[in-house]
């Protein structure tokens, strides 16, 4: 089964060995950009994600020689595991695809990458949009800085992130008054969020990736439900 066929197949019907196949694509420097985009997107699904795939996605994020679209996709693909670990906790270790230590290591890696001035802005926005799914203290200052930056795209990212971090009621209300339909409402499904409705077409076009998908809002696979980690098979 190739990557394109895999993308059109429900995750619970993926064959054994899918996780290993995705890992090989992510680690191979010869993988084309289009295949990297597919592999990075699919690797975040809770039916296959594990510590090796998390590290492979982080490795792509760290590499300045990788295309911005691929690095951004890698960040957004970490959303399901971030939300799952943050909401489920670690009392039942058998229900989680990564350990608590690996989860905190992932959070710290995202924080460092976001604060690295050498990382391209597009990638840093995706990191912020993904990492707020498991909120930490540093997110509040990052969101405030993005909101007050004067840059329209950064403000859009900030307003989106306010959904997940407390203390931004005033700014959220301001954004709602400025433009009804700003991304304060969305369609949550399987740990990801659909695109905000009512967003002006021109503004949306500037914020979305070249492939026309709402990467910032986790919209690539928002219509699929992510089954519990218990449904994973050890072979994947």
């Amino acid at each position: 089964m190739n990557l394109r066929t895999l993308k059109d197949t429900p995750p619970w019907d993926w064959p054994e060995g899918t996780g290993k196949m995705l890992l090989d694509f992510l680690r191979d420097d010869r993988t084309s950009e289009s295949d990297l985009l597919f592999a990075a997107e699919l690797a975040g699904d809770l039916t296959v994600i594990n510590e090796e795939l998390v590290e492979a996605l982080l490795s792509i994020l760290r590499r300045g020689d990788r295309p911005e679209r691929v690095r951004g996709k890698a960040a957004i693909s970490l959303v399901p595991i971030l939300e799952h670990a943050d909401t489920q906790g670690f009392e039942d270790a058998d229900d989680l695809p990564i350990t608590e230590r690996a989860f905190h290591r992932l959070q710290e890696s995202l924080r460092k990458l976001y604060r690295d001035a050498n990382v391209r802005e597009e990638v840093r926005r995706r990191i912020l949009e993904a990492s707020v799914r498991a909120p930490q203290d540093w997110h509040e200052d990052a969101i405030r800085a993005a909101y007050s930056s004067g840059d329209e795209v950064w403000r859009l990212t900030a307003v989106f992130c306010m959904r997940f971090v407390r203390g931004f009621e005033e700014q959220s209300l301001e954004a709602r008054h400025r433009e009804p339909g700003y991304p304060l409402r969305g369609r949550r499904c399987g740990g990801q969020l659909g695109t905000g409705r009512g967003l002006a077409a021109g503004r949306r076009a500037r914020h979305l990736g070249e492939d026309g998908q709402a990467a910032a809002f986790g919209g690539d696979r928002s219509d699929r439900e992510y089954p519990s980690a218990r449904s994973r098979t050890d072979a994947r």
Side-chain angles (χ1 to χ4, degrees):
M1 182 177 290
N2 60 41
L3 289 174
R4 287 164 179 77
T5 302
L6 201 63
K7 185 176 180 180
D8 294 330
T9 303
W12 47 89
D13 287 335
W14 287 352
E16 293 185 1
T18 294
K20 176 62 167 58
M21 181 188 74
L22 294 173
L23 186 63
D24 290 342
F25 273 108
L26 294 175
R27 287 176 170 175
D28 192 343
D29 287 341
R30 297 168 298 179
T31 302
S32 67
E33 179 178 344
S34 60
D35 281 347
L36 267 179
L37 284 168
F38 277 126
E41 177 183 341
L42 300 176
D45 197 286
L46 288 179
T47 59
V48 293
I49 193 71
N50 55 31
E51 292 184 18
E52 282 189 303
L53 283 170
V54 166
E55 187 54 42
L57 291 169
L58 282 173
S59 179
I60 288 175
L61 267 175
R62 296 185 185 107
R63 290 186 56 172
D65 61 330
R66 290 297 195 188
E68 287 185 33
R69 290 177 60 202
V70 172
R71 297 173 76 189
K73 183 73 71 176
I76 296 302
S77 289
L78 292 166
V79 165
I81 189 58
L82 285 166
E83 280 199 334
H84 188 72
D86 185 60
T87 57
Q88 297 299 315
F90 292 88
E91 292 183 3
D92 187 356
D94 293 336
D95 196 36
L96 289 168
I98 65 173
T99 64
E100 184 173 7
R101 181 178 180 181
F103 171 62
H104 292 309
R105 189 165 60 242
L106 167 59
Q107 287 185 301
E108 180 62 13
S109 295
L110 292 175
R111 184 189 68 83
K112 288 181 177 179
L113 282 166
Y114 179 77
R115 292 186 172 179
D116 186 346
N118 293 319
V119 176
R120 300 292 294 271
E121 285 198 1
E122 174 72 12
V123 179
R124 292 180 63 238
R125 285 198 299 271
R126 298 296 181 246
I127 290 172
L128 183 58
E129 291 158 354
S131 63
V132 293
R133 312 304 179 90
Q136 293 183 285
D137 291 342
W138 67 271
H139 284 125
E140 184 174 348
D141 288 341
I143 293 171
R144 292 190 188 282
Y147 188 73
S148 61
S149 67
D151 183 286
E152 185 178 12
V153 179
W154 270 109
R155 283 178 63 87
L156 186 60
T157 285
V159 173
F160 169 76
C161 292
M162 289 174 190
R163 293 178 53 94
F164 303 94
V165 179
R166 295 179 180 179
F168 291 99
E169 292 78 10
E170 181 178 342
Q171 291 89 340
S172 296
L173 186 61
E174 176 188 345
R176 193 187 297 270
H177 286 164
R178 285 182 60 213
E179 182 175 349
Y182 225 60
L184 300 175
R185 296 189 298 274
R187 180 162 56 90
R188 291 182 68 94
C189 184
Q192 294 192 325
L193 192 70
T195 56
R197 296 180 180 177
L199 199 61
R203 181 169 297 174
R204 182 171 61 242
R206 286 193 296 272
H207 191 58
L208 302 186
E210 294 178 5
D211 56 0
Q213 296 185 349
F217 305 99
D220 297 351
R221 296 165 65 80
S222 61
D223 58 342
R224 290 187 177 179
E225 293 185 0
Y226 288 88
S228 166
R230 287 188 185 278
S231 66
R232 297 181 306 132
T233 61
D234 293 338
R236 288 182 182 174

